[in-house]
Each structure stands twice: as structure tokens, then as C-alpha cells.
Amino acid sequence: MSLSQLMLGPNVVLCNAASQTYPSCNTFTHALSFFNKIEGSQATARQTAELLRSVISQQRVPYTNQAGALIDAVKAIGEQLIAANPVELAVGNIVRRVLHIIREEDLSLTTAAIGGLNLSAVSDDENDDDRDGDSTLSAAAVAAAARSTLRPPSLQTLLEDTPVSAAVPQTSSSGAADKSSRSRKLKHDVIEAVNELIQDIVTCHEQIAEQAVEHIHQNEVILTLGSSRTVLEFLFAAKEKKRSFRVFVAEGAPRYQGHLLAKELVARGLQTTLITDSAVFAMISRVNMVIVGAHAVMANGGVIAPVGMNLVALAAQKHAVPFVVLAGSHKLCPLYPHNPEVLLNELRSPSELLDFGEFSDCMDFGSGSGSPLLHVVNPAFDYVPPKLVSLFITDAGGHNPSYMYRLIADYYSADDLVVQRRATAGN
Amino acid sequence: MGAQKKRAAAAAAAARVSEDPDDLARQPLQAILLADSFTTKFRPITLERPKVLLPLVNVPMINYTLAWLEAAGVAEVFVFCCAHSKQVIDYLENSEWFSQPNFTVKTIESHNIISAGDALRLIYEQNVIHGDFVLISGDTVSNMSLTQALQEHKERKKKDNNAVMTMIIKKSKPSPITRQSRLGTDELFMAIDPNTKQLLYYEDKADHSKGTICLDKMLLAENPSISLHNDKQDCYIDICSPEVLSLFTDNFDYQHLRRHFVKGLLLDDIMGYKIFTHEIHSSYAARIDNYRSYDIVSKDIIQRWTYPYVPDVKFCGNRATKLERRGICFTAFNSEIEQSRSAQVGSFTVIGYGTKIGSNSKISDSVIGEGCTIGSNVLIEGSYIWDNVIIEDGCELRHVIVCDGVIMKAGAVLKPGVVLSFKVVIGERFVVPAYSKVSLLQQPTVHDSDEELEYADNSSGTVEFSSIQGTADQSNGEMTSESSEAHKPKLGTGGVGYIWSICEGGQEEEWRHSVAPIPEDKLTELSEAMDDDQELVTQDRTALSTSGELISDSNASEGDDNEDSKDDSVYFEKEVEATFLRAVEENVKVDHVILEVNSLRLSYNMTSADCAGAVFYSMMKLAIKTPHSSAIGLLTLYPSPFSMVASNAYPIYLSGELQQNTANIITTWQKLLKSYLLEIDEEIEIILKFEEMCLESAKEFSPLFARILHILYDKDILQEDAILRWADEKEGADESDKVFVRQSEKFIQWLREASEEED
């Protein structure tokens, strides 16, 4: 079922709020698929989050199972957003983050309600020991269950003092008025949390850049490939702290974004050397640290990055140069890479490699066997396995590749790894 | 008060006018999309479905065009529908194009339009185009960005109001052997001013056999520099100013966008309208004009030249597909296909949703649509199979197009270049010969020339379509059984459909325009022909380097002139003969005949010697034709002292009769002949002409040559000087040329003696 069909369906006529949502969603889907008008994962992530926020705010929630309704609504849109451009993993990440937020908020609300209930139960039913014990027991049991299943133990949760809540089915004792206030509160809390997420996405460059002085030292030589906003900000931050260092920029064929990066670095007064991608191995022995951006970071600590990155990583390993990857938390993807060279890749137009006119005679299908002898393949991304990465720097600090799965467990819930509405929800 | 108001209004109006240019610049970009190509290249498929809805890598063609227009920033598109307009409109209404936020699609429907020119005239009448617009046909695939071309166009327009159109071109080398572009169209020659990018010359039907093109001399004189290209491809994307529409209205004979409109503007220097070009480099643009370009554009799409309009990126209504790596190359797959483990799907193949592939089948370089069932041991190579096709076990398909709903029974074979239209059934083990087209509809019997066809029967196309609908709606069994009985031998047992006969002269074109690659033998043939050409050219030493392909103007035109004049003289002779015969039949006065021949002479620009020759020729012809019986009474043997003819095979009485006839005619018409014999040269011309006739067209005269020469001398038509000069000229000639000189030797001898005596 496509968005347009949704639009033409009768439910739009009935529900005004939804019809306001869908066109913007439609534009967004098209924007994603057409020409990648939104360039860069940060902007995409932000757009996705903003879109989902508006979906949530316009979603009418029923009295029972509000979280379920919100999750279904977000999943419905999210599924299509992901399908529109499956290669841009940031979209899926944000959809999963929002789903996680809804679950968390629902959980904390429920715990609060149960806590309140328990308190009132204790105060009201002093003489009824059986019931009291029963209810506390059940709450504790459920909380324990929740700790073990819904939320795998993480450093954050272990250190946290606050009692962890459970997704209990709503007790029948809460009144209707209570419910409506709760539903409003849930929505409000979720939107609040999504706003925080958006804020995080917006400020991720600065938060990463703050750590620059800890990593870049005086008179070092830094090598980078292609262009990345995060890397640019990171280097500027070090420069602003009066560190003097040199930067080698590999141009990043075939899109040559390294040229742009070199231009910007020079504009900020950094000593810059531009080299070809193929010269990386020759230069790496003089380099103290490789700092690059990423397209996505997978759950195993592998990196999806612009094409050519694997070569740089291999060269760095050969000469024992630290290979540092900068990635905002919206780039952390809870999926494991299976066949990443193909499935998580994007094959771009061959025209970036060669001029169609010059080679048009090599692609004459009219003569010979009918299939051309010349094939041009232009993959956009490389996969760098985790063993080649020395350090990840995210907005939450620096991490080892083997720690990535833990970080990811904090941001995503296991239920959402596959963003696909269940068959029943589809009906 | 009133006056003041008026003035204020006038001022306001003036202000509005002054703002106008800015308004124009800000106006949303419009586009005209012609959803009809006004050609019949895709028959028989287009009899049942409009060309723009034919699937191109499983997506209807028009979607590529619309998706591009939207991405290029066009705000409003007018889709002009003609043939099968209902299908196009229905499709668009059900697609997502009508529900885009910043992109409106409107349809204009008309049934009695037969050319692009008519369509534009109709759009002009509707008065919907307000500013610059993009003119494109619904079968164009592109991913170029319009911004730069549009800006160039606007700037030029601001400077020069006559710059009405910008044409998008792209570099693409033509095949050196076949002399046709990659897209199967003819080689295109363009002359472009390298500085201003103005288009000066456009020729898409250059004469391959001669290897020459003719440029107007003025072109070279007026422009300081010209670059002549044969490696440019016309993308058929035009950015036009609104004047273009009015130009079409003014020149109601403009039909074809290129052949009439562009060439018309280039030739017409009164209005001074100019066309400019914009070359695109890294982006892609191509128009699907024939089956070969369908094949080539499909392959370009699969090879991702049209990125982002490729099968695995969702751009409009296409289902999500994913790529899989097969060997080195990639294959687009839909997630929901059933494929047997032993089936081999090769590289550069796209397989649609819900298709089943049986065991041991091999598929490569092909596009397979949705819901197809392919049996086991099937071989598919370089083919285009649309939706819901059933291919049973053991079939072989190489370089073919198979439309929706076709059923191929077990063991059927399609040779390269075959096109199977909708719902055809091919019988068991039937082999469809190469390049044949099979349809449920019978071939239209009218065969016009190619040129006329393009404009002729679009209206009839729609009529036929409605009749098809009717038949299709009828109970299927009845129809099929009927047709299968009638055509059982044609498509094997159980086969349904008609094999269209290839029209005469079409054979040559079939291999040029089919989906199949050009066969080996044709290629060698062509390359040999080309070698010959090149040898010729080098002998002539007229060719510049091959890249230039320009043979210097003067030589080319000279050659043309010679040929032309030869043609002319033949026509002239015929005309004179006809005039003369009419004069004889109708007893026209000699003066009048002279007048008529004179006017002919002027119109063909001939000398009086030519006239004399022609008149003499006609007279001699008449002499042969005149019934011999009429002359029988006059049968006398002319005792000629100069005759050497006795040994000749002709009966002597006949030659005598012929001689008599000739003498009569010469006597009757001597005045006519004399009027052209002003000088001795013309007289010699007559003798030469006569000689030529005796050798070639009228051998009956050859025994009589000397006698008739004598008659001519007697009648004062030829002077002795002329005859003597002729004899002298022939002195040095070959033996074979001297036959008639020797025949008339005695006569010449006598003449010489006579002249001496006179002296």
C-alpha cells in the first residue's frame, strides 16, 4: 500500500488530522527518493525526526493501549520512509529511536502509575495484608521481568538509581479521567523526548568536536578521505584551541569531495595537502592519525563509509596508524551487516566515472553479441570491518568498536529491529 | 476626477508592464508533454496500447518523463493525448502524478490530430502556456538538470528576442560501420557556431551513399566559425519561448518538430528566429524512437546511466527491487520471485514481482515483467518480456519483445528481432522467423510510403483500437478458435495471431531498427561498402580528415551540377519530342512549334545546339515510327553512288522506305530545324547526334547514314563546311568511331572536290 493510495482512501476524508500529515510525508518520501535532495545523514535524520514528531502529535490515541497506537502509526510511516531510500540508514535509525522513546515513556508512566497505586494501596488498605503483599510482589516481579527481557542490562541501567518499570497491562482500577490525562501525558512526554532527540542530532557536530583537543596534538599530521561535516568541525575545533597541525586530504574519487574539504580547511587557515586516493599508501607512513567520517556504523562495529575507505584503513593498519571514525549517534545502526558490499551499497551513475559521449561507441549494443563489453560500476560505499577501526568518537564519547553493540542497546529496543507492521496491524 | 482615475489606471498598467519581465522570470516553469509520437514505428504493439504506456524496465515510459520533469523543477505539465487518449488519461488518473503537492499534471485530449504541429496549434488555441516551456515527448528518458539550460535560454532571450528555442544535445558517437547512431536513428549532422552555440544547420537524413552533405555558401560567408558535428545526439528536449507556439500557428504546414519546424526556422531568414543548443555532458538524455532505441535505453537504465531512475531506486510506482551480485555484475531482483535452484539468472537482468522461473532455465541481459511464468529449460537472452507472460518448457527467446499475456507453448522458438504483441499464442515447437511481428490484429492493408504513414492514420489507429476492444470483450473462446482455425498453419498448433508481412523495402530497415543486434553478415557487408567509399574518397582527394567528414563545398556542388545537367538534358529531349509529336499530330504551325521549343529551351537553360539536337532526334524518331505501309507506294530504290550498304542485314526495300520517310519529314520540318542552326557548331552537333542515334537508340538508320547525310545536304540543312569539319574532327578518333566517316567517305570526297572546283 503506497502513500498515494492511503491518500485516496476514504480514511483521509474521515480524518482531517491525518490528511494534513500525509502530504508532508509524501513530499518527504519523494524528496528522499528523488536525487537525494536532502544531502547528508544529519539533515535526513533531522527531517525524519521532525516528520515523526508531527505524525505523533496528530495521531489520535484511543483510551486503551495508547503506546501501541503510537507505535503502529510511527511504524506505518517509518516503513515507507525506509522503503523510499533503503540505503540511507539514518532514516531507519531515527524511526527505531522514536519507537524506543515511545516504549520508554510508556514504561516510565506505567511505573509511576503503579508506584502511585501501590502507595495508595498501602495507605488505604492497611488491614488487608494479603492484598498488599500480593500487589507489591506482582509489581516487583514484573519489574524484574522487565529488567531481564525488555531492557537488557546495560551500564546505564545498572548504575541508575531510579526503579525500572515494567510494561504491565493496564490495571482495571485506573479511572477514565486518569486515562485521558495519562494519554495526554504520554503524547506530551514522547514529543518532548523527540525534541530532545532532534536537539541531539542538531548539536552532534559540536559535541563530537568538543573532544577534538583530546585527540589531536601539536604538530601532528592528520589524514582524511573525502568530505564530512563532522570531520571539518572536528578539525576546526582543534585549530581554534591553538593546536597547529597539518592535514592530508585524499580527494575521494569519483565525487572528489576532498577538493571541497581542502578549500574549506584552507579558508580557516589550516595547513592542507591534497593527494590522490591512490597516493594514500605512500603518504601513510608520515601520518599520525587517520580521522574520517562515516555513512553508518553497524552493530558489530563495522563502518559503511565512502568508497576507498577500506584501502585507507588497510594502509593505516599496515603502518599502525590509529584509524578514528567520527559518527553522530544517529548513525549508529542496530543492524548487523550481511553482505554489506551489495545490500547496504548504492550504485551510482557511471557518468561520474566517465563521459558518456566519449565512450558511447563502447556501448553500442547494435553490433556484436548484443551485450556490451564495457561495464561501469560505481559503488558509493565501502565496508570497513571492525578490526580495522581503532576508535569511534560519537557525541557520547570515544568507544572501542567492540563496545558498539552496548551503545546500540541503549538507544534501541530489540522489538524494533525489524520495522515492519505485523500482519494484524496492517489490516 | 474621471480623467485622474484614468491616468492612475494607465500608470498602474504601465507599472504592470514594466514589472512583466520580472514576473516572467518568476513564473513557474511549464512543460508540454506529447503523449503521442505520431509515428508508427512501434506497430503492431501501439495498435493496442499507446507508446508512452509501454513498460521500459517494468515502468511505463511516461513515468520516466514525468519523474524527470518533476525533479527538474517543472511546476505544471500539459500532457497531450491523441491516440488511445483514454488509456493514457485513465492511467494518469490512477497514478500518483495527480496527487503531487508541487507538481500539477493536466491532460489535453484530442482525436483528430495527426502531427506534433497540430498538437501545438491546439495548445496555442487553449492559451494555457504563459512563459517559457519545455517541449518533450512522453518517451524521453533523462536525468539532466534544467537549471543551467534554462538560465542560458532566458539570458539569450533577454538579449535577443529572436532566440526562441534551446535544443538539448548530447555527445554520442555514431557507429562507424552502420553510420547510424546508437539509438538506431540516422546519422545526424549539425552545424553549430562554437561561440554562440547557435544552431546553423540540421540534417538528419544525410545521404550515406555519397558521404557528402551540402551547406549553403551563405552559411560559410556569414559566420566567422562553424563547427560541424556528426557525433551529437538530439535529445528531443527543447526549451521554447511562447513564440514557438504562435510560429506553429502562423505556419500551418509545420507538422514535424524537426523536419519542418527546425529546418523551417533555419532556412527562413526573413523573421530571423534563432535556435540555440545546449550540450549536456555528464547527465543522460535519450528518446525512444524505435525498437533499437528501446533496447538500448533499457540497457542504459539497467547499467544505471539514468540514475536515479533505475530499477532499485523507487521513483514512481515501481516496486521495491534489490540488487544481487551475479559474478561481477549486478542483477535487479524483486524480493518476491520464485526461482528454481538450478535456474541461472545472469547479469544485467531485471525480474519483476511474482515471477516464477523453472529449473535449468537460463536468463541473461533481459527484462522480465510481473507475474510471468517461465518453465524449465527455457533460454532467454537479451529479451524484453512484459507482464503475465507464460513461457512453457524448452522455449528459446533471443533478442525479442514479448508483450503482456502472451503464451508460448512448449518448445517454441523466437528468432532475433521478433515482436509478439498482446495475447498472442505461439504453438508447440513453432519457430517464428527473424524480424517478424505477430499480433492478434491483422495488418492494416494500406501501405503508404513511409513519409505519409507518419502522419496518415492516427485517427484510424484509434478507430481500430475501439474495434479491438470490442473483439476482446467478446467471448474469448469464440474469437480465438475462429482465428486459430484460420491461421493454424501460421503459428503452429494452437497458435493464435497473425504474422505481419514485412512491407516491401522494409527488409532493409528491419535489421536497423529491431531489438536484435545487427547480424554479422550485414556488418561485414557494410564495412566492405564503407571501405569502397573511403577508397573512392581518397582517389578523389576531396575528403578532409574522416573526423571532419566534410567534403569541400565547391566540389560537392559541382558533382551535383553535372549530374543535374545530365538529368535535365534527358528531360529536355523528352519534352521536345513530346512537343514535336503533338505538333505533327495536330498540325500545329511551324512557328508555334518554334515558340514552344524556345520556351522549353529557356526553362531548361539549354543552348540552341541542344535544341537542334533534340529536334533532329525527334524527327528521326518520328521517321522510324511512321507506318511503313503508307510509304509503300513510293518504294523506289534510291540509286546512291555513295552506298556501301548492300551487304547489310536490313532488307534493302525497308531502308529505302525509311529513307523516303525521313526525306519527307525533313522536307516538312526543315524550317523548324533550320531555325536553330544559326552557326556551324549546331550543324556539327546534329551530325554527332545522328551518329549517336545510329549507334544506340535507332540502329535502323546506321545503314542509311551516308544517304541521309546527303539528303540533309541537299535540303540545305547542313552546309558542306560542317560536314567537312566533322570529318576532320573524326580523323584522329578510334577505329570504332570512324564507322560512319568511312561509310560516307565517297560523299565527303565528292564534297571536297566540289569545293575545290568552286575555288
Side-chain angles (χ1 to χ4, degrees):
Chain A
M1 184 149 87
S2 79
L3 276 177
S4 60
Q5 278 169 317
L6 265 180
M7 285 196 56
L8 295 171
N11 54 338
V12 175
V13 186
L14 294 174
C15 174
N16 246 340
S19 69
Q20 280 165 7
T21 317
Y22 289 128
S24 67
C25 170
N26 206 355
T27 344
F28 186 62
T29 320
H30 275 274
L32 276 177
S33 52
F34 283 123
F35 272 13
N36 297 338
K37 268 178 199 158
I38 306 172
E39 189 71 40
S41 18
Q42 195 210 7
T44 320
R46 192 179 154 185
Q47 289 261 20
T48 314
E50 281 169 359
L51 178 79
L52 290 177
R53 184 178 63 187
S54 68
V55 168
I56 290 165
S57 69
Q58 285 171 31
Q59 178 70 30
R60 283 184 184 171
V61 278
Y63 287 122
T64 55
N65 196 16
Q66 298 108 334
L70 282 183
I71 286 171
D72 276 347
V74 170
K75 271 190 176 175
I77 300 293
E79 202 182 342
Q80 285 169 46
L81 289 178
I82 293 169
N85 191 355
V87 177
E88 186 53 272
L89 293 167
V91 178
N93 297 346
I94 295 302
V95 171
R96 293 186 185 97
R97 286 283 287 274
V98 170
L99 289 174
H100 181 66
I101 286 168
I102 297 169
R103 285 174 203 279
E104 288 279 284
E105 293 300 328
D106 184 40
L107 220 52
S108 65
L109 270 182
T110 320
T111 352
I114 289 168
L117 210 73
N118 282 343
L119 277 175
S120 66
V122 169
S123 60
D124 288 353
D125 310 295
E126 278 167 327
N127 45 6
D128 200 339
D129 285 331
D130 270 12
R131 244 180 114 182
D132 184 19
D134 218 37
S135 86
T136 41
L137 188 81
S138 72
V142 171
R147 194 173 282 159
S148 60
T149 58
L150 278 174
R151 220 174 182 196
S154 79
L155 275 183
Q156 217 175 330
T157 48
L158 283 177
L159 297 172
E160 254 175 342
D161 272 350
T162 48
V164 179
S165 51
V168 261
Q170 252 177 327
T171 45
S172 52
S173 58
S174 19
D178 186 27
K179 269 182 195 165
S180 74
S181 75
R182 261 198 61 198
S183 78
R184 240 180 281 129
K185 185 148 177 16
L186 173 69
K187 222 163 127 176
H188 180 258
D189 287 354
V190 167
I191 289 170
E192 202 61 15
V194 174
N195 279 338
E196 271 172 40
L197 173 66
I198 294 171
Q199 202 54 41
D200 278 356
I201 295 168
V202 171
T203 59
C204 78
H205 292 318
E206 289 142 45
Q207 282 176 358
I208 294 172
E210 270 172 23
Q211 306 163 48
V213 267
E214 296 164 27
H215 297 279
I216 298 177
H217 306 109
Q218 196 69 17
N219 292 330
E220 272 191 343
V221 176
I222 311 289
L223 184 133
T224 185
L225 175 99
S227 175
S228 153
R229 236 330 277 289
T230 327
V231 172
L232 193 71
E233 299 284 343
F234 194 79
L235 296 175
F236 287 167
K239 169 79 184 167
E240 272 166 25
K241 297 275 162 58
K242 303 291 176 210
R243 290 278 149 84
S244 85
F245 55 96
R246 295 168 62 93
V247 183
F248 285 2
V249 180
E251 58 184 358
R255 297 183 76 191
Y256 301 111
Q257 290 188 316
H259 298 175
L260 298 175
L261 182 76
K263 223 175 185 175
E264 295 211 32
L265 290 175
V266 169
R268 302 278 184 107
L270 269 163
Q271 184 67 47
T272 307
T273 310
L274 188 71
I275 58 171
T276 59
D277 295 347
S278 40
V280 164
F281 197 86
M283 306 300 280
I284 201 87
S285 56
R286 297 177 53 195
V287 171
N288 297 102
M289 187 189 268
V290 178
I291 299 178
V292 293
H295 173 68
V297 177
M298 307 309 289
N300 67 342
V303 180
I304 308 288
V307 71
M309 204 61 94
N310 201 12
L311 285 178
V312 177
L314 284 167
Q317 194 199 32
K318 177 89 179 165
H319 285 268
V321 176
F323 186 82
V324 178
V325 176
L326 310 182
S329 58
H330 60 270
K331 288 185 178 173
L332 300 186
C333 180
L335 303 175
Y336 283 82
H338 301 290
N339 194 8
E341 287 88 352
V342 177
L343 289 187
L344 295 174
N345 218 333
E346 187 181 16
L347 290 176
R348 299 180 66 91
S349 168
S351 61
E352 286 177 357
L353 265 70
L354 45 81
D355 184 38
F356 183 85
E358 281 302 319
F359 284 84
S360 56
D361 44 348
C362 303
M363 284 167 292
D364 195 349
F365 308 102
S367 45
S369 67
S371 67
L373 297 172
L374 180 70
H375 295 160
V376 187
V377 180
N378 179 16
F381 302 118
D382 241 359
Y383 173 67
V384 181
K387 62 174 184 184
L388 296 180
V389 181
S390 320
L391 187 70
F392 281 104
I393 299 176
T394 70
D395 35 7
H399 303 287
N400 204 28
S402 58
Y403 182 74
M404 275 299 136
Y405 83 99
R406 274 266 35 105
L407 209 59
I408 280 162
D410 284 345
Y411 286 129
Y412 304 97
S413 41
D415 291 355
D416 303 324
L417 291 190
V418 179
V419 182
Q420 209 159 33
R421 283 170 301 159
R422 281 152 289 165
T424 48
N427 298 338
Chain B
M1 243 345 239
Q4 253 180 355
K5 255 189 190 167
K6 256 182 205 167
R7 217 174 299 146
R16 218 174 296 140
V17 167
S18 67
E19 272 167 21
D20 251 11
D22 292 356
D23 277 350
L24 282 179
R26 266 185 271 115
Q27 211 161 36
L29 187 61
Q30 292 177 310
I32 296 176
L33 189 155
L34 301 174
D36 194 326
S37 55
F38 306 106
T39 60
T40 56
K41 294 259 177 65
F42 272 85
R43 285 199 171 181
I45 301 174
T46 45
L47 285 182
E48 296 173 53
R49 192 188 280 186
K51 186 176 156 197
V52 291
L53 294 188
L54 304 184
L56 185 69
V57 196
N58 294 339
V59 177
M61 282 181 202
I62 195 167
N63 279 350
Y64 287 92
T65 317
L66 286 172
W68 171 71
L69 285 173
E70 196 204 2
V74 173
E76 195 175 18
V77 177
F78 296 95
V79 178
F80 188 88
C81 316
C82 181
H84 308 298
S85 54
K86 198 166 169 348
Q87 281 190 59
V88 178
I89 292 169
D90 281 352
Y91 175 80
L92 288 174
E93 275 172 357
N94 292 323
S95 73
E96 48 192 86
W97 293 115
F98 272 21
S99 55
Q100 300 292 326
N102 300 318
F103 185 65
T104 47
V105 176
K106 288 178 186 162
T107 51
I108 297 174
E109 189 181 358
S110 176
H111 293 288
N112 47 9
I113 295 293
I114 52 159
S115 73
D118 288 345
L120 292 179
R121 280 185 275 277
L122 189 86
I123 290 169
Y124 180 72
E125 280 166 22
Q126 300 212 343
N127 199 21
V128 286
I129 297 292
H130 308 297
D132 289 347
F133 64 96
V134 179
L135 181 59
I136 190 171
S137 71
D139 44 11
T140 311
V141 178
S142 175
N143 62 358
M144 68 172 284
S145 150
L146 270 181
T147 329
Q148 204 195 339
L150 205 62
Q151 200 181 341
E152 280 178 16
H153 178 78
K154 285 199 169 133
E155 270 168 22
R156 266 198 295 266
K157 190 74 207 293
K158 218 174 274 174
K159 270 185 240 158
D160 182 355
N161 213 29
N162 282 336
V164 288
M165 185 161 129
T166 303
M167 211 157 112
I168 310 292
I169 55 170
K170 180 165 180 57
K171 187 171 177 186
S172 170
K173 294 177 183 168
S175 159
I177 302 170
T178 53
R179 289 270 182 83
Q180 66 179 15
S181 76
R182 288 173 77 244
L183 299 177
T185 46
D186 290 316
E187 200 173 11
L188 174 68
F189 285 97
M190 282 188 192
I192 296 168
D193 187 323
N195 299 319
T196 61
K197 303 287 176 211
Q198 188 186 345
L199 181 72
L200 300 168
Y201 177 79
Y202 184 99
E203 180 61 64
D204 56 351
K205 286 216 177 346
D207 196 341
H208 293 163
S209 53
K210 275 194 283 183
T212 57
I213 58 167
C214 296
L215 288 177
D216 192 358
K217 244 187 283 174
M218 292 305 285
L219 215 59
L220 295 167
E222 283 171 3
N223 297 284
S225 56
I226 283 182
S227 56
L228 192 65
H229 299 276
N230 73 336
D231 58 350
K232 298 284 185 254
Q233 170 196 321
D234 187 350
C235 301
Y236 296 97
I237 298 171
D238 302 319
I239 300 167
C240 307
S241 302
E243 285 92 333
V244 169
L245 289 181
S246 55
L247 271 174
F248 267 100
T249 315
D250 295 345
N251 299 280
F252 51 85
D253 53 337
Y254 284 172
Q255 304 288 346
H256 191 271
L257 284 181
R258 292 290 182 257
R259 216 171 298 153
H260 300 128
F261 176 68
V262 169
K263 286 187 184 168
L265 282 199
L266 290 176
L267 288 178
D268 173 28
D269 42 3
I270 300 165
M271 300 300 287
Y273 284 117
K274 289 172 188 163
I275 298 172
F276 289 85
T277 58
H278 174 80
E279 192 179 349
I280 51 173
H281 293 280
S282 62
S283 30
Y284 184 87
R287 179 175 170 212
I288 295 160
D289 205 29
N290 49 43
Y291 286 121
R292 179 171 305 290
S293 47
Y294 178 84
D295 173 51
I296 279 167
V297 172
S298 296
K299 280 175 176 156
D300 287 342
I301 290 171
I302 295 170
Q303 294 211 19
R304 312 180 74 80
W305 286 101
T306 59
Y307 184 92
Y309 309 113
V310 288
D312 61 310
V313 175
K314 217 174 164 179
F315 61 91
C316 50
N318 57 342
R319 306 221 190 202
T321 46
K322 60 177 192 215
L323 293 180
E324 266 185 34
R325 186 141 74 172
R326 301 271 158 161
I328 324 167
C329 302
F330 293 84
T331 297
F333 264 98
N334 208 291
S335 42
E336 286 169 51
I337 63 165
E338 279 176 41
Q339 187 194 346
S340 158
R341 274 191 184 278
S342 54
Q344 296 176 26
V345 178
S347 56
F348 294 119
T349 300
V350 175
I351 296 177
Y353 178 84
T355 287
K356 294 177 191 139
I357 303 170
S359 55
N360 288 319
S361 291
K362 288 182 189 169
I363 301 174
S364 64
D365 295 312
S366 300
V367 176
I368 296 175
E370 294 179 3
C372 295
T373 308
I374 295 167
S376 47
N377 296 313
V378 174
L379 181 83
I380 300 177
E381 216 179 86
S383 300
Y384 300 89
I385 293 166
W386 297 358
D387 300 344
N388 303 318
V389 174
I390 298 172
I391 299 174
E392 293 181 2
D393 299 354
C395 290
E396 277 183 36
L397 297 88
R398 283 194 180 84
H399 307 290
V400 296
I401 293 179
V402 177
C403 297
D404 291 5
V406 168
I407 298 172
M408 285 181 68
K409 297 270 169 72
V413 176
L414 302 185
K415 293 278 183 190
V418 168
V419 174
L420 298 186
S421 187
F422 298 91
K423 291 181 182 154
V424 165
V425 179
I426 303 292
E428 240 168 76
R429 279 177 231 291
F430 185 76
V431 180
V432 183
Y435 303 120
S436 45
K437 297 184 169 67
V438 185
S439 170
L440 282 187
L441 306 172
Q442 259 173 331
Q443 190 165 15
T445 42
V446 196
H447 275 289
D448 305 29
S449 75
D450 194 32
E451 185 78 7
E452 279 170 81
L453 251 184
E454 293 203 352
Y455 305 116
D457 45 10
N458 248 296
S459 48
S460 70
T462 50
V463 172
E464 276 168 69
F465 169 64
S466 58
S467 70
I468 301 150
Q469 285 289 58
T471 55
D473 289 345
Q474 279 176 14
S475 66
N476 232 353
E478 193 184 311
M479 260 306 290
T480 47
S481 65
E482 214 171 86
S483 53
S484 68
E485 264 167 42
H487 293 270
K488 205 173 265 174
K490 275 198 160 177
L491 288 167
T493 37
V496 179
Y498 304 96
I499 296 183
W500 282 28
S501 61
I502 297 160
C503 46
E504 81 284 351
Q507 187 75 49
E508 178 69 12
E509 290 306 306
E510 284 305 322
W511 59 264
R512 273 183 191 278
H513 291 154
S514 79
V515 285
I518 297 166
E520 207 66 39
D521 52 325
K522 291 280 182 199
L523 279 182
T524 44
E525 212 173 275
L526 279 167
S527 60
E528 274 164 18
M530 222 212 4
D531 286 350
D532 289 353
D533 265 12
Q534 277 188 340
E535 270 166 39
L536 253 179
V537 167
T538 42
Q539 276 173 5
D540 288 355
R541 290 184 195 156
T542 47
L544 298 177
S545 68
T546 44
S547 65
E549 293 275 345
L550 170 63
I551 290 172
S552 77
D553 191 11
S554 58
N555 273 336
S557 59
E558 224 170 69
D560 276 359
D561 276 359
N562 284 342
E563 245 174 44
D564 283 356
S565 61
K566 200 174 176 187
D567 284 353
D568 275 359
S569 68
V570 171
Y571 285 127
F572 174 71
E573 247 168 39
K574 280 193 180 145
E575 289 276 339
V576 170
E577 195 185 337
T579 314
F580 182 72
L581 287 178
R582 194 163 42 80
V584 173
E585 271 170 27
E586 295 171 13
N587 278 328
V588 181
K589 276 187 188 165
V590 174
D591 289 343
H592 292 184
V593 179
I594 292 170
L595 207 63
E596 277 189 43
V597 173
N598 271 340
S599 71
L600 276 174
R601 174 190 152 187
L602 289 174
S603 69
Y604 282 91
N605 193 16
M606 292 292 169
T607 59
S608 58
D610 292 322
C611 292
V615 169
F616 181 71
Y617 176 80
S618 347
M619 286 164 71
M620 288 296 149
K621 278 274 183 190
L622 181 69
I624 295 172
K625 278 184 200 154
T626 310
H628 301 302
S629 52
S630 69
I632 270 175
L634 301 168
L635 193 143
T636 41
L637 284 182
Y638 195 87
S640 168
F642 322 113
S643 171
M644 295 176 62
V645 197
S647 64
N648 201 289
Y650 287 91
I652 197 79
Y653 72 89
L654 186 60
S655 48
E657 187 187 1
L658 186 58
Q659 186 185 342
Q660 193 58 50
N661 275 343
T662 317
N664 288 342
I665 287 165
I666 290 172
T667 324
T668 323
W669 296 100
Q670 55 180 317
K671 194 183 168 198
L672 172 66
L673 199 52
K674 271 180 187 163
S675 65
Y676 295 103
L677 301 177
L678 308 172
E679 285 176 40
I680 202 159
D681 285 345
E682 278 99 38
E683 291 171 25
I684 296 172
E685 170 74 24
I686 282 186
I687 303 172
L688 290 174
K689 189 87 199 171
F690 189 36
E691 207 178 5
E692 190 188 309
M693 279 179 78
C694 293
L695 280 172
E696 287 164 14
S697 55
K699 292 217 173 76
E700 294 91 332
F701 282 112
S702 54
L704 298 175
F705 183 82
R707 293 189 213 170
I708 290 172
L709 203 62
H710 192 207
I711 296 170
L712 290 170
Y713 175 71
D714 278 353
K715 301 277 176 196
D716 278 346
I717 292 168
L718 295 181
Q719 295 169 13
E720 56 183 67
D721 274 358
I723 296 169
L724 290 177
R725 282 259 296 271
W726 166 70
D728 288 346
E729 268 177 31
K730 284 284 167 179
E731 207 81 329
D734 286 346
E735 275 307 301
S736 56
D737 273 356
K738 280 191 188 168
V739 177
F740 295 104
V741 184
R742 249 184 277 126
Q743 195 184 0
S744 40
E745 210 166 353
K746 282 185 181 170
F747 175 59
I748 294 165
Q749 192 72 30
W750 179 77
L751 278 178
R752 287 215 171 104
E753 281 167 11
S755 62
E756 273 165 26
E757 272 171 26
E758 267 175 34
D759 290 341

